[in-house]
Amino acid sequence: AQSVTQLGSHVSVSEGALVLLRCNYSSSVPPYLFWYVQYPNQGLQLLLKYTSAATLVKGINGFEAEFKKSETSFHLTKPSAHMSDAAEYFCAVSEGTSYGKLTFGQGTILTVHP
Amino acid sequence: SAVISQKPSRDICQRGTSLTIQCQVDSQVTMMFWYRQQPGQSLTLIATANQGSEATYESGFVIDKFPISRPNLTFSTLTVSNMSPEDSSIYLCSVGWGDFDIANTGELFFGEGSRLTVL
């Protein structure tokens, strides 16, 4: 069975600082991995996805994530935080044999201070 | 991508009543799913809505409590039956296309959710 662990339910950074949100997964088959963002009172928006192509994936709003099979990780980064990045971020995994059945991590709330 | 509309966006319900949530997509989609997000929690898949047949439920969810319909490729409903305060959650409709390949990489698109509060 697949699972996702996000380390840190809350992350706080200063504007302009590096953003690092951690995600580790467990999957019995090569996974497909996703990062979603949820702004207050809104639905989920896809930030980026890993689907067995390049291990470094670039997404929207300057975010990127690197798939590291040896570490079973898919951490999300952004070099310079912006106030508008404040939101909740979810890492999710899907196994190829169970399309659409995303297993989500617990979520990480990102706060950006001026 | 797809534009997904959910109704109602929020509601306050009385214990013991039932509420039906509608999900309308602006294009035909292969897959439709219903997720639940309990307060302060992550998302949990309730079921896969199958067109023209019974939904496929995940462990811990049953049809009597969460009946689902999907009459066509653009519309689905989720009913939360005999509600209790524990059903207070955001219910999200999500959609996707086909299998994993270069064009369709399995990502899901989500509606804005229906926030239910049960008193």
Side-chain angles (χ1 to χ4, degrees):
Chain A
Q2 57 203 31
S3 66
V4 177
T5 301
Q6 290 182 238
L7 298 177
S9 58
H10 289 80
V11 171
S12 181
V13 300
S14 298
E15 191 173 20
L18 171 71
V19 175
L20 171 61
L21 305 183
R22 299 179 186 274
C23 172
N24 288 89
Y25 70 92
S26 172
S27 176
S28 58
V29 299
Y32 297 94
L33 295 159
F34 307 86
W35 275 100
Y36 284 86
V37 59
Q38 186 177 34
Y39 298 101
N41 299 314
Q42 295 188 25
L44 275 73
Q45 179 182 6
L46 181 70
L47 270 180
L48 49 78
K49 58 193 176 190
Y50 167 76
T51 55
S52 75
T55 57
L56 181 61
V57 180
K58 296 186 182 299
I60 63 172
N61 302 336
F63 284 94
E64 63 182 35
E66 185 172 9
F67 172 71
K68 292 186 176 180
K69 183 178 179 180
S70 61
E71 299 178 7
T72 61
S73 69
F74 190 57
H75 302 330
L76 181 71
T77 61
K78 182 174 180 178
S80 177
H82 192 274
M83 297 295 289
S84 62
D85 295 327
E88 187 162 17
Y89 293 80
F90 292 95
C91 182
V93 62
S94 177
E95 295 180 351
T97 55
S98 56
Y99 170 77
K101 293 186 178 181
L102 295 184
T103 299
F104 284 85
Q106 304 92 315
T108 299
I109 296 173
L110 176 66
T111 303
V112 182
H113 297 287
Chain B
S1 64
V3 176
I4 305 167
S5 302
Q6 278 188 240
K7 293 181 180 179
S9 59
R10 59 179 63 233
D11 207 341
I12 298 174
C13 308
Q14 296 300 315
R15 182 195 301 260
T17 63
S18 299
L19 182 77
T20 296
I21 302 167
Q22 299 180 356
C23 177
Q24 179 73 54
V25 190
D26 68 342
S27 59
Q28 293 185 344
V29 294
T30 307
M31 313 291 285
M32 294 185 79
F33 305 91
W34 287 97
Y35 283 80
R36 180 175 73 180
Q37 186 178 21
Q38 294 178 295
Q41 303 291 319
S42 187
L43 285 81
T44 302
L45 179 63
I46 297 172
T48 303
N50 301 309
Q51 189 216 350
S53 64
E54 193 170 287
T56 303
Y57 291 85
E58 297 301 304
S59 176
F61 297 97
V62 295
I63 187 172
D64 290 345
K65 177 66 175 178
F66 298 101
I68 289 171
S69 77
R70 187 179 174 191
N72 56 51
L73 293 177
T74 64
F75 186 78
S76 178
T77 66
L78 168 74
T79 298
V80 186
S81 302
N82 188 25
M83 288 184 284
S84 67
E86 292 71 32
D87 295 319
S88 298
S89 296
I90 301 172
Y91 293 86
L92 297 108
C93 172
S94 69
V95 305
W97 288 266
D99 297 321
F100 287 98
D101 59 26
I102 295 175
N104 297 307
T105 51
E107 70 216 55
L108 295 185
F109 297 91
F110 287 81
E112 294 194 351
S114 298
R115 184 182 297 270
L116 301 188
T117 301
V118 185
L119 303 178

